[in-house]
Amino acid sequence: QVQLVESGGGLVQDGGSLRLSCTTASGFNLNPYAIGWFRQAPGKEREGVSCVGSSFNAEYYTSSVKGRFTISRDRAKNTIYLQMNSLKPEDTGTYYCAAAMRTLRELCGDPHGAMDGWGKGTLVTVSS
């Protein structure tokens, strides 16, 4: 299993922005993997927020974040970003990244499916 590392979470006001980053501490090459961002709010199920493919950087967004969040990957830096704009209190939760050799639909649509690696999460809190 690959150990991923997330960063960039924090406390922000309604309408604010944050940029999350996902990489590895070991330098393990993430480029062959599809990467997903997932979040879990207190008392709620984990959900797929956004995923990016391994080959052509195809993207997927859950409907609630479309137009506000942007996923990207910097292959040279071995890092995947999630730019979150116009944040809302309902975006609050712990955000995790995961790597998998799966399609975007499989990855983002099945947050409890088999992954090749997970991070420990970064907390995002949006105050109203």
Side-chain angles (χ1 to χ4, degrees), residues 56-102:
F56 301 104
N57 290 350
E59 301 169 9
Y60 166 88
Y61 300 92
T62 193
S63 58
S64 63
V65 308
K66 281 182 181 178
R68 301 188 297 123
F69 290 12
T70 303
I71 193 169
S72 61
R73 63 191 309 166
D74 185 329
R75 295 184 183 276
K77 294 184 177 180
N78 202 37
T79 300
I80 296 83
Y81 303 99
L82 185 67
Q83 177 67 44
M84 306 187 296
N85 298 328
S86 303
L87 282 161
K88 305 175 181 180
E90 52 263 42
D91 294 317
T92 293
T94 299
Y95 283 69
Y96 304 87
C97 62
M101 293 282 195
R102 303 168 75 187

Side-chain angles (χ1 to χ4, degrees), residues 10-42:
L11 173 64
V12 65
Q13 290 188 331
D14 191 352
S17 297
L18 286 173
R19 189 177 77 158
L20 306 184
S21 299
C22 171
T23 187
T24 66
S26 65
F28 185 90
N29 184 13
L30 294 177
N31 291 335
Y33 293 85
I35 305 294
W37 283 100
F38 302 84
R39 67 185 177 193
Q40 188 163 19

